[in-house]
Amino acid sequence: MDHNKLALPVGTTLDRFIMRKQEDFPYATGELSQLLRDIALAAKIVNREINRSGLIDIAGAYGSQNVQGEDQQKLDVIANIRFIRALRNGGEVCTIISEEDDEMIQTGNNQGKYVVAIDPLDGSSNIDVNVSIGTIFSIYRRVSPTGREGTAADCLQPGTHQVAAGYVIYGSSTMLVYTTGNGVNGFTYEHSLGEFFLSHPDIITPKTGSIYSINEGSSDSFSPGVAAFVQHCKDQQFSARYIGSLVADFHRNLLKGGIYVYPATAKNKSGKLRLMYECNPLAFIVEQAGGKSSNGTRRTMEIEPKIPHERCPFFIGSKELVEKAESFIAKDTEACDHKPAPEPTPKKAVAAK
Ligand code: AHM
Ligand code: MG
């Protein structure tokens, strides 16, 4: 009897995977590895809180608004506390910027080499209705000298400077997906063992796809380029899939092929999503998986951030689809450039006295 069949191996845990990867870099100090483990620990705790949110009084509105004037859910606040606490206790991070906080958060670990940008719970308006939600994070090496608090320059680096990024999706199963710039790997949480196990090694996103994800409720205020791209998706008989929870929409498209778009609209003139907490980390992941991310005209990760809560239009997913969207936008821009300038309005004749 083959004993292995009686007890199948459980697979590679996230901890072991991180350790093995660290061994590839002989001079690595282990701090980044520890930081990723801190994030995974907080994710487990947040996962627990989310799972019991229907049973105890932590679903629903907290009664306050975040810095961007959006209603905070209780779980938004809880997730923010959990991640900040884990990062502070870990000691590797000097400064955090969070979608939920107005100001930079100094952890007191002035020797910490890293800064973290985090959206602790994205799509949280979906909590009450059992729709998948997520955490999105981005890790940068500080640029200021250690031994003092992190600075705005540490926190406002372009996405190309990320050393790691990832997300956690709290869905029908809970997964952590991350990159350190050497491919993308996904881990599924095994509740009974309390561990993330490698389930999606070396994720590669399809070059193209037939899913488009955009909130068409705002179509009246799409630019002509975006409207033409959406029409193109319909002409190709693509499937429209939009949950309204970025991590869930992104994760599906990453695995199946497709495009997620949050363009500029009348309500959100620069788009709704935040460059530092949502766009850059997912852009790093999608590029590492062979996909593409853009603001419609420019690579997301090359945008120089000016403020932590900066927003930008977002086109992300399969390379060919993002390029297609960009080409519709470029045609529209060209058409605008070639339109004759409007005739100046004639000045009213001043009545002679
Ligand atoms: P949040 O950070 O306040 O949760 O908002 C971000 C969410 C994304 O998860 C989602 O894709 C988008 O907002 C949905 O916005 P809309 O309802 O305008 O389509
Ligand atoms: Mg968010």
Side-chain angles (χ1 to χ4, degrees):
M1 166 104 202
D2 180 355
H3 285 199
N4 269 332
K5 283 197 179 143
L6 272 178
L8 291 172
V10 285
T12 308
T13 64
L14 175 65
D15 275 6
R16 176 156 303 168
F17 184 87
I18 291 173
M19 243 159 55
R20 279 198 196 141
K21 289 285 164 193
Q22 188 191 314
E23 285 160 10
D24 295 345
F25 302 97
Y27 301 107
T29 57
E31 285 156 292
L32 180 60
S33 303
Q34 184 53 44
L35 170 46
L36 289 166
R37 288 198 289 260
D38 296 339
I39 290 177
L41 173 64
K44 288 182 196 175
I45 299 171
V46 169
N47 180 60
R48 184 192 65 187
E49 313 274 22
I50 290 168
N51 283 338
R52 52 187 199 153
S53 71
L55 301 171
I56 55 171
D57 187 26
I58 53 173
Y62 181 62
S64 63
Q65 292 193 325
N66 69 9
V67 50
Q68 290 136 89
E70 296 151 340
D71 288 336
Q72 283 184 305
Q73 305 292 309
K74 286 180 202 157
L75 271 168
D76 275 333
V77 179
I78 293 172
N80 197 35
I81 295 171
R82 291 292 183 195
F83 278 100
I84 291 170
R85 194 175 288 160
L87 294 172
R88 188 172 270 146
N89 290 344
E92 303 82 18
V93 175
C94 58
T95 308
I96 305 165
I97 52 171
S98 162
E99 193 187 293
E100 297 302 324
D101 283 283
D102 195 358
E103 304 289 338
M104 295 187 295
I105 302 153
Q106 299 296 353
T107 61
N109 304 316
N110 293 347
Q111 295 301 333
K113 280 194 214 153
Y114 295 100
V115 295
V116 167
I118 190 161
D119 182 354
L121 208 56
D122 183 72
S124 53
S125 60
N126 286 316
I127 295 166
D128 292 356
V129 287
N130 253 339
V131 166
S132 303
I133 46 183
T135 296
I136 315 174
F137 63 91
S138 193
I139 302 173
Y140 295 82
R141 207 180 301 279
R142 72 187 292 175
V143 289
S144 68
T146 52
R148 55 183 88 149
E149 288 186 341
T151 63
D154 295 322
C155 298
L156 293 177
Q157 302 187 52
T160 46
H161 291 191
Q162 291 172 99
V163 291
Y167 62 85
V168 184
I169 176 166
Y170 310 96
S172 46
S173 63
T174 295
M175 277 188 73
L176 189 151
V177 177
Y178 83 97
T179 182
T180 51
N182 196 11
V184 181
N185 290 283
F187 300 79
T188 301
Y189 187 57
E190 221 294 3
H191 289 257
S192 59
L193 297 173
E195 291 278 10
F196 283 101
F197 285 94
L198 180 62
S199 53
H200 295 64
D202 294 321
I203 297 174
I204 298 291
T205 195
K207 274 204 184 64
T208 190
S210 52
I211 296 175
Y212 73 106
S213 310
I214 185 168
N215 184 346
E216 283 193 77
S218 311
S219 58
D220 279 357
S221 63
F222 290 168
S223 70
V226 172
F229 174 66
V230 170
Q231 187 55 47
H232 164 81
C233 295
K234 291 179 178 170
D235 294 343
Q236 301 291 311
Q237 301 190 327
F238 284 2
S239 294
R241 294 281 181 274
Y242 188 76
I243 303 174
S245 188
L246 172 63
V247 174
D249 280 313
F250 173 81
H251 183 69
R252 181 202 50 241
N253 294 357
L254 181 76
L255 298 183
K256 294 190 173 222
I259 182 168
Y260 174 97
V261 179
Y262 206 113
T265 62
K267 193 168 154 208
N268 296 296
K269 299 233 162 10
S270 307
K272 178 182 180 190
L273 301 177
R274 293 80 172 173
L275 177 62
M276 300 305 291
Y277 316 113
E278 289 153 333
C279 306
N280 269 336
L282 298 186
F284 193 18
I285 289 172
V286 91
E287 286 196 9
Q288 285 293 316
K292 191 163 177 167
S293 175
S294 152
N295 69 356
T297 55
R298 198 166 172 210
R299 184 178 172 213
T300 304
M301 290 207 288
E302 286 177 2
I303 299 171
E304 291 283 343
K306 291 181 195 65
I307 50 167
H309 297 288
E310 183 166 332
R311 298 174 195 255
C312 66
F314 198 34
F315 299 74
I316 189 164
S318 296
K319 193 161 181 280
E320 285 182 13
L321 295 181
V322 175
E323 282 168 0
K324 190 55 131 182
E326 284 179 328
S327 74
F328 277 102
I329 289 164
K331 264 188 231 155
D332 173 35
T333 319
E334 252 171 54
C336 289
D337 288 350
H338 289 100
K339 260 189 212 151
E343 293 287 321
T345 12
K347 281 195 185 137
K348 277 192 191 142
V350 183
K353 284 194 180 162

